[in-house]
């Protein structure tokens, strides 16, 4: 049973405050610290209440802890419902979703440990799913809200290995591409100073097309070296560019919805993009649907800000075919239960899911376990301490469980 719950304030990777929670079963402890976003979706749960981490810690001590002490930690779904009830709002604006997520995942970790299971095994039992090694999407070039004005307008230029023999080799392939792109940038851009963004992708003054050309060059070389294909991908984070009537481009003409759809289609065709996240504004379900229908199964069209890991929004999107892939960020919704529900709705509608880090991360590796338990893709950068914490955990899980790679074929 839960004997104690402790909280502390610590750093995330951007040097901001975040909350860590420990759920103590009397020696067996589960611990989780929450990440934070920079390009936060309008429909996400509220990460921190007014009063910040201190307020969340206060509420956990005074309202959550008294209700959870003595409870069986394997009652994950009941505990998650109770967290919602204690919060009492629609969007965790009182407790903060970073606090509720931390209590929720720390509880699952404690329970798993107590049962002698790895977290991914424990979650697989909760969901009835078969573990598989997700393909890693690595952030290679970074701009938008994750870097300064001089960077690319599109937030993330990513790579993903196709048909890798193992998760470990896939993880190293992304890191090799990252290194190679660094070499190309140093050679081709005299002013390049080796700077990196929040997720450790390179920051450089490039147009969208120039960034994609550099990626193509790098993946060509690294694919040959590793012996399997690597493809490019984008997170457009288009809500950040949408001003209510057009998508604003600093290095290019503004685009209305139609021409944005044209532009993305063109990029998919020209650069054989494997995956495109948030190509349109977070409220444009119709635009998403139009693009997804146009692209068919040629590429993964993924919704992040449009769905915000919210099962109702995902369901609404699924009814009109707004995407074929759903991004999953636990603190967008505030509990493990609702995170798993979101995955369930997506998978029921034949969508892939991608479990994702946030730009302001901690060194926790729980998302690797969630991804292995029930997703096909993990999006957690290519290099950097808080990113490699997850990628290295993936390698450990793969070795431990002899688990197959999630997506095979193109
Ligand atoms: P974040 O965004 O800054 O909100 O974590 C990353 C993303 O858009 O995927
Ligand atoms: Zn995104």
């Amino acid at each position: 049973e839960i004997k104690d719950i402790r909280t502390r304030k610590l750093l995330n990777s951007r040097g901001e405050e975040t909350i860590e929670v420990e759920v103590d079963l009397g020696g067996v402890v589960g611990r989780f610290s929450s990440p934070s976003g920079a390009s936060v979706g309008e429909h996400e749960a509220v990460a921190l209440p007014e009063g910040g981490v201190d307020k969340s810690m206060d509420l956990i001590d005074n309202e959550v802890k008294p209700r959870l002490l003595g409870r069986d930690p394997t009652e994950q779904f009941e505990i998650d419902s109770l967290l919602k009830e204690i919060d009492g709002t629609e969007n965790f604006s009182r407790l903060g979703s970073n606090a509720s997520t931390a209590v929720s995942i720390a509880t699952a970790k404690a329970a798993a440990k107590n049962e002698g299971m790895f977290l991914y095994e424990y979650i697989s039992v909760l969901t009835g799913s078969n573990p598989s090694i997700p393909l890693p999407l690595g952030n290679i070039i970074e701009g938008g809200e994750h870097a300064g004005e001089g960077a690319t307008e599109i937030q993330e230029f990513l790579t993903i290995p196709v048909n890798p023999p193992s998760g470990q080799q896939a993880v190293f392939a992304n890191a090799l591409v990252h290194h190679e792109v660094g070499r190309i940038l140093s050679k081709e851009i005299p002013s390049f100073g080796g700077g990196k963004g929040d997720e450790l992708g390179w920051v450089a003054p490039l147009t969208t097309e120039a960034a994609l050309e550099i990626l193509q060059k790098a993946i060509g070389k690294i694919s040959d070296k590793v012996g399997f294909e690597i493809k490019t991908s984008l997170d457009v984070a288009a809500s950040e560019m949408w001003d209510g009537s057009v998508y604003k481009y600093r290095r290019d003409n503004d685009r209305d919805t139609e021409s944005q759809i044209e532009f993305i289609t063109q990029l998919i065709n020209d650069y054989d993009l494997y995956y495109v996240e948030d190509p349109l504004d977070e409220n444009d379900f119709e635009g998403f649907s139009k693009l997804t229908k146009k692209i068919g199964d040629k590429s993964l069209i993924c919704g992040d800000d449009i769905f915000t890991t919210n099962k109702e929004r995902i369901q609404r999107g699924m009814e009109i075919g707004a995407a074929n892939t759903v991004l999953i960020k636990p603190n967008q919704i505030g509990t493990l239960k609702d995170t798993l529900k979101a995955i369930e709705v997506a998978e029921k509608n034949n969508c892939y899911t991608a479990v994702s880090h946030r730009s302001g991360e901690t060194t926790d590796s729980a998302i690797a376990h969630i991804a292995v338990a029930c997703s096909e893709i993990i999006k957690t950068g290519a290099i950097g301490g808080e990113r490699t914490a997850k990628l290295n955990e993936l390698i450990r899980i793969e070795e431990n469980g002899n688990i197959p790679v999630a997506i095979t074929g193109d």
Side-chain angles (χ1 to χ4, degrees):
E1 71 184 54
I2 298 177
K3 296 260 204 268
D4 194 16
I5 294 181
R6 293 180 291 272
T7 61
R8 64 176 62 88
K9 180 177 5 181
L10 34 64
L11 286 169
N12 72 16
S13 60
R14 260 198 292 265
E16 305 157 340
E17 300 180 348
T18 192
I19 186 167
E20 178 164 273
V21 172
E22 287 179 359
V23 170
D24 190 340
L25 310 182
V28 175
V29 178
R31 173 195 282 163
F32 184 78
S33 48
S34 290
S36 290
S39 68
V40 176
E42 185 184 319
H43 306 284
E44 290 191 24
V46 177
L48 288 173
E50 242 170 80
V53 170
D54 291 315
K55 182 67 185 171
S56 286
M57 287 168 57
D58 223 45
L59 289 169
I60 289 180
D61 280 346
N62 295 312
E63 296 190 31
V64 174
K65 182 172 157 180
R67 305 275 302 269
L68 292 191
L69 290 186
R71 293 203 63 133
D72 176 350
T74 62
E75 292 172 359
Q76 182 69 41
F77 293 164
E78 289 84 347
I79 288 171
D80 285 344
S81 300
L82 189 58
L83 286 169
K84 262 175 133 162
E85 186 195 311
I86 296 167
D87 175 77
T89 70
E90 279 299 290
N91 55 4
F92 277 113
S93 56
R94 212 169 69 81
L95 285 180
S97 69
N98 276 9
S100 60
T101 303
V103 173
S104 179
I105 296 181
T107 300
K109 283 190 177 181
K113 216 191 256 184
N114 206 39
E115 306 280 310
M117 294 166 104
F118 287 99
L119 183 60
Y120 78 88
E121 295 173 319
Y122 183 76
I123 295 173
S124 296
V125 172
L126 283 181
T127 56
S129 51
N130 287 322
S132 61
I133 297 298
L135 295 184
L137 262 172
N139 193 342
I140 309 294
I141 298 175
E142 194 168 8
E145 292 294 301
H146 293 171
E149 284 278 301
T152 54
E153 335 216 35
I154 285 184
Q155 184 177 282
E156 297 168 38
F157 296 77
L158 311 121
T159 55
I160 186 164
V162 183
N163 269 323
S166 69
Q168 186 192 41
Q169 289 170 79
V171 163
F172 275 94
N174 282 339
L176 287 171
V177 172
H178 191 280
H179 298 159
E180 181 61 21
V181 167
R183 273 190 290 273
I184 297 173
L185 289 171
S186 304
K187 213 160 78 193
E188 293 188 2
I189 303 180
S191 65
F192 178 65
K196 300 191 195 87
D198 283 350
E199 297 178 357
L200 287 312
W202 299 110
V203 172
L206 300 166
T207 63
T208 300
E209 290 81 359
L212 285 166
E213 294 292 338
I214 289 173
L215 266 193
Q216 293 293 86
K217 211 191 263 184
I219 61 172
K221 179 159 172 193
I222 303 302
S223 292
D224 285 349
K225 187 163 170 175
V226 297
F228 51 87
E229 198 180 359
I230 303 166
K231 288 194 173 183
T232 44
S233 298
L234 293 176
D235 181 359
V236 183
S239 299
E240 304 294 338
M241 306 168 104
W242 178 247
D243 77 349
S245 51
V246 289
Y247 294 91
K248 290 285 199 195
Y249 286 82
R250 295 187 307 273
R251 298 174 196 277
D252 208 343
N253 293 329
D254 296 345
R255 293 187 165 91
D256 63 12
T257 301
E258 279 310 311
S259 57
Q260 177 79 354
I261 291 174
E262 267 315 303
F263 177 55
I264 299 296
T265 307
Q266 188 79 41
L267 292 178
I268 288 173
N269 290 332
D270 289 354
Y271 299 97
D272 192 23
L273 302 179
Y274 186 89
Y275 166 107
V276 181
E277 181 177 321
D278 285 353
L280 293 150
D281 179 61
E282 62 200 339
N283 293 308
D284 191 3
F285 280 80
E286 288 70 31
F288 261 85
S289 163
K290 212 168 180 179
L291 177 69
T292 302
K293 289 191 175 120
K294 205 166 164 188
I295 301 305
D297 53 12
K298 196 166 164 179
S299 281
L300 301 182
I301 304 296
C302 181
D304 170 11
D305 291 347
I306 186 176
F307 298 137
T308 57
T309 318
N310 177 316
K311 67 176 191 297
E312 280 85 26
R313 291 185 68 84
I314 297 168
Q315 185 57 41
R316 180 178 157 202
M318 294 300 108
E319 278 158 22
I320 58 163
N324 54 30
T325 306
V326 175
L327 203 77
I328 300 292
K329 293 169 168 168
N331 79 329
Q332 280 184 331
I333 197 69
T335 63
L336 182 60
K337 177 186 175 185
D338 285 340
T339 302
L340 300 178
K341 280 271 167 231
I343 294 175
E344 187 186 316
V345 172
E347 304 270 342
K348 257 196 196 133
N349 286 281
N350 297 318
C351 280
Y352 283 145
T353 54
V355 177
S356 171
H357 64 169
R358 304 300 308 246
S359 50
E361 260 298 336
T362 73
T363 51
D364 193 277
S365 58
I367 61 165
H369 289 265
I370 299 174
V372 169
C374 39
S375 282
E376 293 79 19
I377 295 172
I378 184 166
K379 184 186 183 221
T380 188
I383 63 151
E386 67 280 0
R387 319 290 152 187
T388 48
K390 286 88 170 149
L391 297 170
N392 286 343
E393 187 72 354
L394 197 66
I395 293 171
R396 291 185 198 105
I397 295 171
E398 179 172 59
E399 178 187 311
N400 167 70
N402 201 9
I403 303 167
V405 172
I407 305 176
T408 50
D410 314 315

